Amino acid sequence: MSFFREEFIARSAAVRVRFGPGVRRSVAEEMEALGARRALILTTPQQAELADEFSAYCGGLAVGSYTGATMHTPVSVSEDATTLAGALGADVLLSVGGGSTIGLGKAIALRTDLPQIAVPTTYAGSEATPIIGQTENGVKTTQSTAKVQPEVILYDAELVTTLPVEMTVTSALNAMAHAAEGLYARDRSPISTLMAVEGLRAFRDGLPRVLANPEDTSARGETLYGAWLCGTVLGQVGMALHHKLCHTLGGSFDLPHAQTHAIVLPHAIAYNAQAALEQLAPLAELFGDSNPGRGLRSFAKQVGSPMALRDLGLAEADLDRAADLAVANPYWNPRPVERDAIRKLLQAAWAGEELAV
Ligand code: NAD
């Protein structure tokens, strides 16, 4: 292992994680452990009924709910919810939902320092990171601060059984993207690599089982375990070209988060494979192809992922601008980020064709 010839730094956050079907019913216990007595429950409008369900689990310790969480964490929504948290005297935030809802909890925590209990219902992984993206006047900015890292995470597979199949697939690939890029991150450690490999394995094995029976809580549990590992990798090491491309496509062309990740991932990994073949070897092995991008592409096809950016509504005429934006202020990447090669990558991702490298 080349690790032992190199220096590394391993970081991990102080997070309490509880895992298991039905564990969401332990919210009151977790509040007590935090010394909290006044929970503000956060959801999206689509998952508003969970606010009532969780209010019951709080055993009289919920002071209200805010069901207006929405994509991209708009500052106006965060300020609204922060005002409500202050007016209600909330002393803990209970975020129940996907990355959008957990993002809102983080945005309130950033402004108030309130502790957070995150109960994820997708695989996006935000609950396991100190990262927050916020949008104001159409501009999304991202920062990393321990202030927004949730103190408690409750992973309950029963909650994920309602995730529609299409979102299940794209959210899983979104999570896998964190692990795939974690494998070649400059600041990776032996521990982040272990988590990345195990996270990818959990999705490789668990996702087909979920698709065979979306209500199977054992299969959902395996994928949720993968989401925890992949999200933790995202929280610990730097991301590269894949995440830059997805942030560009989401931020400037309003493409949906999880679907964009799902489509771009095999292309970004194919692009980087020649520069990071050794680091990506576990991925190649897991997906049974010496070309790791091709292996991921076969897996994505097998699980019924969308394959072409054009199907998300991106116009071919936008690809030039997307390439320009993607190469401006690039994140560190194992292979140089060259405009013409990125334009070619985007063309392949747009058309849903395999990237020839
Ligand atoms: P989402 O939270 O936007 O959810 C999408 C839709 O699915 C919503 O309507 C939601 O209510 C619904 N939904 C979620 N779980 C469901 C379930 N179990 N059953 C039925 N419906 C359900 O989607 P997402 O992909 O989880 O999150 C995307 C957002 O998270 C993006 O804004 C992204 O930038 C952010 N994110 C942030 C980080 C981070 O570390 N800061 C990491 C990953 C994603």
Side-chain angles (χ1 to χ4, degrees):
M1 264 304 253
S2 58
F3 273 130
F4 302 112
R5 294 197 301 269
E6 297 163 10
E7 281 189 20
F8 64 82
I9 296 174
R11 288 182 299 270
S12 50
V15 182
R16 176 174 159 88
V17 175
R18 279 181 75 166
F19 205 97
V23 79
R24 67 190 182 284
R25 298 190 187 91
S26 313
V27 164
E29 224 177 277
E30 293 304 321
M31 284 181 65
E32 199 183 321
L34 286 170
R37 304 197 54 81
R38 302 179 66 80
L40 174 63
I41 303 170
L42 308 172
T43 71
T44 59
Q46 294 80 6
Q47 291 179 287
E49 78 284 357
L50 286 176
D52 293 333
E53 185 183 330
F54 273 78
S55 184
Y57 301 148
C58 289
L61 299 181
V63 289
S65 61
Y66 184 90
T67 59
T70 186
M71 271 208 303
H72 306 310
T73 333
V75 165
S76 57
V77 172
S78 303
E79 286 175 349
D80 236 26
T82 303
T83 304
L84 180 67
L88 294 171
D91 61 6
V92 65
L93 302 163
L94 180 51
S95 311
V96 188
S100 296
T101 303
I102 290 166
L104 175 61
K106 288 175 162 183
I108 303 172
L110 184 69
R111 291 163 172 78
T112 60
D113 245 341
L114 286 175
Q116 303 162 73
I117 300 176
V119 191
T121 65
T122 71
Y123 304 124
S126 179
E127 68 282 353
T129 84
I131 304 163
I132 175 168
Q134 302 193 86
T135 313
E136 191 166 29
N137 304 323
V139 180
K140 187 164 182 173
T141 49
T142 300
Q143 58 176 302
S144 183
T145 160
K147 247 179 141 175
V148 306
Q149 173 97 45
E151 281 74 4
V152 179
I153 313 174
L154 303 181
Y155 283 108
D156 186 333
E158 287 173 4
L159 283 173
V160 194
T161 57
T162 56
L163 193 64
V165 166
E166 198 252 328
M167 179 79 185
T168 293
V169 168
T170 54
S171 190
L173 286 158
N174 178 194
M176 291 166 69
H178 311 326
E181 288 225 294
L183 288 175
Y184 51 58
R186 250 187 324 182
D187 53 354
R188 68 188 183 278
S189 75
I191 300 298
S192 65
T193 297
L194 276 175
M195 289 192 291
V197 173
E198 174 65 352
L200 289 163
R201 187 217 50 80
F203 279 112
R204 182 201 63 183
D205 296 346
L207 188 56
R209 291 173 61 216
V210 166
L211 297 177
N213 178 8
E215 295 190 2
D216 175 349
T217 49
S218 151
R220 285 285 186 183
E222 185 166 27
T223 49
L224 203 51
Y225 163 65
W228 170 35
L229 295 171
C230 294
T232 305
V233 172
L234 172 68
Q236 291 191 357
V237 304
M239 296 288 115
L241 175 67
H242 169 79
H243 282 73
K244 172 71 182 185
L245 287 170
C246 293
H247 292 163
T248 302
L249 293 166
S252 304
F253 301 93
D254 211 22
L255 296 194
H257 179 84
Q259 291 94 317
T260 305
H261 272 273
I263 293 169
V264 171
L265 181 61
H267 300 280
I269 296 302
Y271 183 96
N272 279 338
Q274 54 174 259
L277 212 49
E278 189 190 333
Q279 295 92 319
L280 288 169
L283 204 158
E285 192 178 321
L286 278 168
F287 293 95
D289 194 316
S290 58
N291 174 334
R294 199 169 54 204
L296 276 174
R297 182 176 165 82
S298 307
F299 180 74
K301 269 191 179 164
Q302 181 204 326
V303 294
S305 170
M307 300 301 292
L309 291 174
R310 69 173 158 204
D311 295 339
L312 303 184
L314 184 69
E316 191 170 14
D318 283 331
L319 295 179
D320 279 325
R321 192 161 70 89
D324 292 340
L325 290 169
V327 300
N329 309 314
Y331 303 171
W332 176 87
N333 193 59
R335 178 179 160 190
V337 176
E338 288 154 357
R339 204 263 176 207
D340 287 352
I342 294 298
R343 176 66 179 78
K344 212 169 113 197
L345 182 164
L346 286 169
Q347 185 71 37
W350 180 83
E353 285 161 6
E354 189 175 341
L355 178 65
V357 279

